[in-house]
Amino acid sequence: MLSVRRRAVNAVMLSLTGVCTLLAVGTLLFILGYLFVHGGTSLTMNFFTKLPTPVGELGGGMANALLGSAKLLLLATCIGVPIGFLGGVYLAEFGGSSFSFVVRYTTDLLNGVPSIVIGIFAYTLIVLPQGHFSTLSGGLALGVMMIPIAIRSSEDFLRAVPVSLREGAMALGASKAKTIFTVVIPAAKAGLITGIMLNVARVAGETAPLIFTAFGNRYWSTGWEQPTASLPVMIYTYAISPYADWKQQAWSAGFVLLMLVLTINIFARMILSKRGHAAR
Amino acid sequence: MTRRIFIVNAGLATAFTMGAACAQQVLINAAGATFPYPMYSKWFDEYHKKAGAQINYSSIGSGGGIAQVTAGTVDFGASDGPMTDEQIKAFQDKQGSAILHFPTVMGADVPVYNIPGVTAALNFTPEALAGIFLGKITKWDDPELTKANPGVKLPSSNIVVVHRSDGSGTTYIWVDYLCKVSKEWQTKVGRGTSVKWPVGLGGKGNEGVSGSVQQTANSIGYVELIYALQNKMTYGKVKNAAGEFVQASLAGVTAAAATASMPDDFRVSITNAPGKGVYPISSFTWLLIPSKIADPAKKKAITGFLTWMMTDGQKMTAALSYAPLPQAVVAKEMKEIAKIQ
Amino acid sequence: MNTRPSGPVSALWQRLRSGDDIAYVITLTSALTILALTALLVFELYKNSAVPRHQFGWSFLVTSTWDPVAGQFGALPFIYGTVVTSTLALFMAIPLGLGAAIFLAELAPSRISNALTFLIELLAAVPSVIFGLLGIFVLVPALIALEPAIRSVLGWTPLFSGPFYGVSMFSAGVVLTVMIIPFIISISREVILAVPAEQRDGALALGATKWETTWDVVIPFARQGIMGSIFLALARSLGETMAVTVVIGNDPAIHASLFAPGYSIAAVIANEFAEATGDLYLGSLIELGLVLFGLTIVINGLARVLVLSTTKKGAS
């Protein structure tokens, strides 16, 4: 029935896909393991509760950087996700073809801008007129970085919802807006969450845009107008120093950053997993 | 969906109130050179314990320090190389006052290398270093190297040069020295925190250079003395202006400063300084303080810090492998503090 | 059924209540915000690069010299390095990523698929600075060890000739591959999962093997989403800064071999911006940002032409 050749191709190609997966997962496990061994094993409570100390003084931590990163990511998500998501809704549901083409193209361009250029952009736009570095400018820089991925992934996942679902809703008399918000978006939920998580994950580790906006802070930062420490900038500063103690802390911070993003991922999926995967 | 929005809003509200509730202390922002950052972080921390002022320093690079203090986004800057006349004028035009240089500590660049089979500290003449980095001397058994190292068997392999790819004060010190000892370097390449290197690979930061050197056989690069000491790297001796081969040490660096005549504005280069026991690739690093500070609380904190730094602060330098300032320089600087209005 | 009150005001109110127009306006505003932001960014780049643009003009794009001391700046080596490393990264990431996405969407049982995808998405969370550190401590020594093997297979091409010091365009390509693969895998997997069961069932009913169904029916159906993920990956690789600068060798020169060091636009900006002083130097770095923008426009345009010319009607 089925030719030997076709069966062979089938077997070979499918096994190859397994190999690809193995490579990808293996790389991640290696990185996790490496970070754990070099950073996780020497992690103490001090890391989470104490402020940074100068070289040679043990017992320092990155408590202010943890809070700083949290504040920055919060602000970035509040800016980037709504604009990106709603833009994605426009492209998937309303867009006419030439305007949508322009928007998609521009989004890809914005996505390709190096993070340091976005940082310089936020610097000239906010830091210079204000005359000082601030958490606000850092959050805005990260938010701008989140927008392109948010649009692209939102549009992709909304489009992947079958036309039949939309038509069904409209046949029942729902307006376009109602269809979108009560049928299409919930159906695409899993994908949309994926997009947001990928986005937050990517932006959580960005260093270059923060150097010229949020700047850095050895002390607690209050409010939104002061410079703030952040995990990626601390990692960068400590990793390039000559001191073994600081380098150790850099690895620990990298491990903690990864674990934090993991936690956010798990938490978000738990909240929304109850409603299940609707597309299949 | 609504749940998410709610959680997000709750988080924002908490962050806002947390922010507003904390007390305000004098917060001074500063930025600049990466080389003295460990020392400055220790100093600012100690001074904070003593006087309460919070001085928040970020190492974005010497050029960054100059740019930010000129733009007024930080209260003072720091740089491994003194500001040029144009930069000083730019500051004057933008901020309406002069800018003062305060040397704080000293450091040095050392040549590091990786030659299989060679564990000794090699001797490098100025001609050798210039020739290697110009790409003129291409093999380890070149006469310029072998005649300075009679007891060492140098292989006839190609030399792989490693330099800094990122702009840095460390590079500035190295090329400043090469400019002084080699006319060809001066005309062909010149000095700056970033230059057009005739040959070699670029490593990012001290660890990029040292990493490349460690992984590449027959390579040579330059790193800060502190870096070499802290990471227990082998580094070579350099011939100074008095003809001695000196291995870099804190004493040799301080000696370089002692012989230099310090101008009133403290902008001086001490590479290739004359005198015995001097390590020739040494340099000061400076704080750049505006001569007019409007906020009286900040002014008090900054002048207080400077005074403390030159007395108690200098005693802490050796523990972190930085060379302290010579007494003569300290005395002169104390007088300059009075110039801050 | 619904007795509609008459009159233009009531008609308007009816329309508003249905929410369509409000939704349209709000989402349109968001889309316009993106255009406005990008335009502002380009404007800022253009404005702040005025000095070198007037001085060098178009020759900036074809000059190979980068000399901060002499004040001579040219973009060519950086354009070359950016294009080469990104192309290499896509070349390696697309087959690997698509392969893994197919496995996870079509073959793996859903619990395992979810768990593995979760792990792969974590790759996107690794900070680029950590990739940089891993680059120096892990990747470069590993590549130095692997080099003889690679050279024995591919050494006859000019692409893999010359001495190898660990830091090279090839190393940068490998790091970029690892960094962009989670985007391709994760998004492609989701769009493949969203392909309706009827499509698969139809092909299988006609006697196709699993592979044939996947490759000839499912993938083309999910084409647009997969392309979207590739564009995302491409964009990330063009702009990646920290990780690239650590392993690329930072040599502003053009070499044919992938084993040679190179330099990318994002890397040079990151390396030199903090230290650069003077309008010409700073402006030239900013002009490089503008050049990258132009490069992205061209590459995206070419990619879209490629997609359009080979597209079959299959996407939703």
Side-chain angles (χ1 to χ4, degrees):
Chain A
M1 292 251 289
L2 220 51
S3 77
V4 174
R5 191 184 140 275
R6 283 173 67 198
R7 269 212 289 255
V9 166
N10 190 47
V12 165
M13 292 312 281
L14 291 178
S15 343
L16 275 181
T17 61
V19 169
C20 295
T21 313
L22 228 73
L23 275 173
V25 177
T27 313
L28 181 277
L29 287 176
F30 174 77
I31 294 178
L32 259 181
Y34 197 89
L35 274 179
F36 179 70
V37 166
H38 285 255
T41 48
S42 53
L43 206 54
T44 62
M45 266 318 278
N46 281 336
F47 184 90
F48 297 97
T49 51
K50 296 278 170 57
L51 286 176
T53 54
V55 181
E57 273 176 50
L58 301 169
M62 295 198 191
N64 58 343
L66 283 166
L67 181 64
S69 273
K71 282 161 77 174
L72 286 166
L73 280 177
L74 191 63
L75 187 57
T77 312
C78 289
I79 295 170
V81 169
I83 297 180
F85 172 70
L86 289 172
V89 169
Y90 177 84
L91 285 177
E93 305 295 324
F94 292 109
S97 73
S98 44
F99 182 66
S100 294
F101 178 76
V102 170
V103 175
R104 264 184 223 114
Y105 207 84
T106 311
T107 305
D108 285 340
L109 294 182
L110 192 60
N111 205 20
V113 176
S115 49
I116 182 138
V117 174
I118 304 255
I120 298 169
F121 177 59
Y123 171 76
T124 44
L125 224 58
I126 305 165
V127 174
L128 279 184
Q130 278 199 327
H132 60 85
F133 298 105
S134 60
T135 312
L136 186 70
S137 55
L140 271 158
L142 292 181
V144 169
M145 289 191 73
M146 285 183 85
I147 291 177
I149 299 186
I151 299 186
R152 258 306 188 172
S153 58
S154 301
E155 190 203 348
D156 278 347
F157 293 122
L158 287 169
R159 271 192 190 281
V161 173
V163 179
S164 47
L165 260 107
R166 285 189 185 82
E167 288 173 346
M170 289 180 122
L172 289 169
S175 67
K176 186 147 187 172
K178 209 170 165 95
T179 313
I180 296 173
F181 287 101
T182 58
V183 175
V184 180
I185 289 177
K189 208 175 58 217
L192 291 173
I193 300 293
T194 302
I196 295 178
M197 285 298 117
L198 273 180
N199 217 349
V200 171
R202 178 213 169 153
V203 158
E206 288 289 343
T207 316
L210 294 176
I211 296 179
F212 285 101
T213 50
F215 193 57
N217 203 328
R218 301 288 290 182
Y219 308 97
W220 290 108
S221 162
T222 59
W224 300 94
E225 290 295 331
Q226 280 188 356
T228 180
S230 57
L231 277 178
V233 174
M234 288 294 264
I235 296 175
Y236 175 68
T237 312
Y238 277 21
I240 62 173
S241 75
Y243 303 99
D245 171 42
W246 273 8
K247 285 205 254 234
Q248 183 58 58
Q249 287 194 39
W251 286 111
S252 301
F255 180 70
V256 168
L257 185 56
L258 206 51
M259 289 297 112
L260 279 174
V261 176
L262 181 72
T263 315
I264 297 177
N265 258 289
I266 296 177
F267 192 61
R269 280 181 202 277
M270 261 171 49
I271 290 183
L272 292 126
S273 69
K274 290 166 201 154
R275 287 175 228 174
H277 198 311
R280 264 222 177 169
Chain B
M1 184 73 152
T2 355
R3 207 126 143 249
R4 268 192 70 241
I5 298 174
F6 175 71
I7 292 172
V8 160
N9 276 323
L12 252 180
T14 323
F16 264 117
T17 40
M18 249 194 325
C22 293
Q24 295 284 6
Q25 273 184 304
V26 175
L27 177 69
I28 297 167
N29 290 311
T34 35
F35 157 68
Y37 177 58
M39 187 74 252
Y40 290 172
S41 75
K42 174 108 184 135
W43 276 347
F44 296 142
D45 196 68
E46 291 291 322
Y47 188 68
H48 169 61
K49 288 187 205 147
K50 184 172 185 301
Q54 291 180 347
I55 304 182
N56 174 30
Y57 181 87
S58 215
S59 48
I60 59 177
S62 303
I66 295 174
Q68 299 310 320
V69 76
T70 308
T73 52
V74 293
D75 299 300
F76 64 88
S79 170
D80 291 331
M83 287 170 79
T84 61
D85 292 331
E86 296 92 46
Q87 289 165 343
I88 293 180
K89 183 165 183 312
F91 181 86
Q92 208 127 14
D93 291 339
K94 184 100 204 296
Q95 299 292 337
S97 67
I99 184 139
L100 303 168
H101 287 70
F102 285 89
T104 49
V105 283
M106 299 178 4
D109 282 359
V110 296
V112 289
Y113 47 87
N114 173 3
I115 310 173
V118 174
T119 50
L122 292 177
N123 294 329
F124 291 98
T125 58
E127 294 77 22
L129 286 176
I132 292 174
F133 279 84
L134 276 168
K136 291 291 192 52
I137 297 180
T138 53
K139 290 195 185 291
W140 278 111
D141 60 354
D142 189 282
E144 187 66 44
L145 289 161
T146 48
K147 77 171 190 266
N149 295 285
V152 183
K153 175 104 183 51
L154 290 165
S156 73
S157 337
N158 285 330
I159 303 179
V160 180
V161 173
V162 183
H163 54 77
R164 287 286 285 268
S165 61
D166 47 326
S168 129
T170 314
T171 299
Y172 186 84
I173 301 171
W174 188 258
V175 299
D176 183 54
Y177 169 76
L178 289 178
C179 277
K180 287 191 184 163
V181 301
S182 162
K183 279 244 175 345
E184 194 179 349
W185 185 273
Q186 169 109 21
T187 40
K188 207 167 160 207
V189 185
R191 62 164 61 79
T193 51
S194 281
V195 298
K196 181 168 166 22
W197 298 93
V199 290
L201 306 167
K204 183 158 174 58
N206 277 309
E207 76 292 346
V209 172
S210 74
S212 278
V213 167
Q214 274 163 9
Q215 285 163 2
T216 315
N218 302 308
S219 58
I220 181 172
Y222 60 91
V223 295
E224 289 157 13
L225 173 61
I226 301 173
Y227 199 83
L229 287 173
Q230 289 285 337
N231 290 285
K232 304 194 178 15
M233 300 172 76
T234 316
Y235 54 95
K237 304 181 192 173
V238 183
K239 191 173 181 188
N240 65 13
E244 316 160 312
F245 283 103
V246 179
Q247 183 145 38
S249 66
L250 300 185
V253 173
T254 311
T259 59
S261 67
M262 183 63 84
D264 285 338
D265 64 359
F266 294 100
R267 293 159 61 204
V268 69
S269 156
I270 53 172
T271 48
N272 210 28
K276 284 200 161 303
V278 164
Y279 181 71
I281 319 184
S282 311
S283 170
F284 285 107
T285 183
W286 291 263
L287 284 180
L288 308 168
I289 319 262
S291 61
K292 259 199 194 37
I293 302 175
D295 184 326
K298 285 189 183 178
K299 173 163 159 265
K300 182 159 174 279
I302 293 176
T303 47
F305 171 74
L306 287 170
T307 316
W308 176 87
M309 181 268 286
M310 283 183 248
T311 48
D312 292 333
Q314 291 293 315
K315 300 186 189 118
M316 300 178 186
T317 59
L320 290 175
S321 306
Y322 287 89
L325 298 170
Q327 255 317 103
V329 175
V330 171
K332 209 166 169 167
E333 273 189 68
M334 288 293 215
K335 297 196 203 118
E336 205 191 21
I337 300 181
K339 285 198 202 155
I340 301 177
Q341 302 298 329
Chain C
M1 288 191 36
N2 262 347
T3 38
R4 290 194 170 188
S6 54
V9 176
S10 334
L12 182 67
W13 177 242
Q14 204 67 21
R15 272 179 72 192
L16 279 176
R17 272 191 69 196
S18 76
D20 276 356
D21 290 314
I22 297 178
Y24 179 72
V25 167
I26 293 179
T27 55
L28 179 65
T29 312
S30 300
L32 286 173
T33 310
I34 293 138
L35 292 181
L37 260 173
T38 312
L40 187 60
L41 177 68
V42 175
F43 172 69
E44 285 286 326
L45 287 177
Y46 192 76
K47 190 177 80 168
N48 292 324
S49 62
V51 174
R53 272 188 297 107
H54 289 140
Q55 181 150 341
F56 301 122
W58 288 106
S59 71
F60 186 74
L61 290 175
V62 291
T63 313
S64 295
T65 327
W66 185 265
D67 191 341
V69 176
Q72 266 297 107
F73 299 102
L76 198 59
F78 308 105
I79 297 176
Y80 178 77
T82 307
V83 171
V84 167
T85 50
S86 294
T87 310
L88 185 62
L90 278 181
F91 198 71
M92 295 195 279
I94 293 178
L96 278 175
L98 209 49
I102 292 174
F103 180 82
L104 290 170
E106 299 287 316
L107 294 173
S110 81
R111 293 264 282 279
I112 297 185
S113 175
N114 286 336
L116 288 180
T117 311
F118 186 64
L119 283 180
I120 291 175
E121 282 169 7
L122 266 188
L123 265 177
V126 178
S128 13
V129 62
I130 294 286
F131 272 116
L133 288 179
L134 288 169
I136 317 177
F137 292 122
V138 176
L139 184 67
V140 168
L143 284 178
I144 293 182
L146 276 172
E147 180 235 351
I150 302 174
R151 203 185 278 275
S152 64
V153 173
L154 294 163
W156 53 273
T157 59
L159 280 180
F160 288 96
S161 57
F164 181 65
Y165 299 116
V167 290
S168 65
M169 288 194 279
F170 180 67
S171 321
V174 173
V175 168
L176 283 175
T177 306
V178 175
M179 295 178 84
I180 66 180
I181 231 176
F183 292 96
I184 298 182
I185 295 179
S186 163
I187 295 178
S188 299
R189 173 182 166 270
E190 284 291 346
V191 293
I192 292 175
L193 279 174
V195 171
E198 304 91 60
Q199 300 285 331
R200 290 187 188 79
D201 294 341
L204 288 170
L206 289 169
T209 60
K210 179 106 180 147
W211 171 254
E212 286 163 353
T213 311
T214 309
W215 189 249
D216 295 325
V217 177
V218 177
I219 298 282
F221 201 84
R223 182 187 207 94
Q224 197 156 355
I226 296 177
M227 282 286 131
S229 76
I230 294 179
F231 280 121
L232 260 178
L234 170 67
R236 171 129 208 223
S237 72
L238 285 173
E240 180 49 48
T241 311
M242 286 294 178
V244 169
T245 174
V246 169
V247 295
I248 198 173
N250 301 316
D251 180 21
I254 299 179
H255 301 283
S257 167
L258 290 175
F259 276 163
Y263 221 157
S264 77
I265 294 179
V268 72
I269 298 178
N271 273 331
E272 300 193 6
F273 190 78
E275 289 284 335
T277 46
D279 284 333
L280 186 64
Y281 194 3
L282 272 170
S284 298
L285 287 170
I286 296 192
E287 193 179 350
L288 273 179
L290 199 59
V291 168
L292 182 60
F293 209 81
L295 198 62
T296 317
I297 294 182
V298 169
I299 294 182
N300 266 290
L302 286 173
R304 275 180 169 70
V305 165
L306 190 73
V307 168
L308 277 172
S309 67
T310 59
T311 202
K312 295 170 236 175
K313 292 282 176 226
S316 52

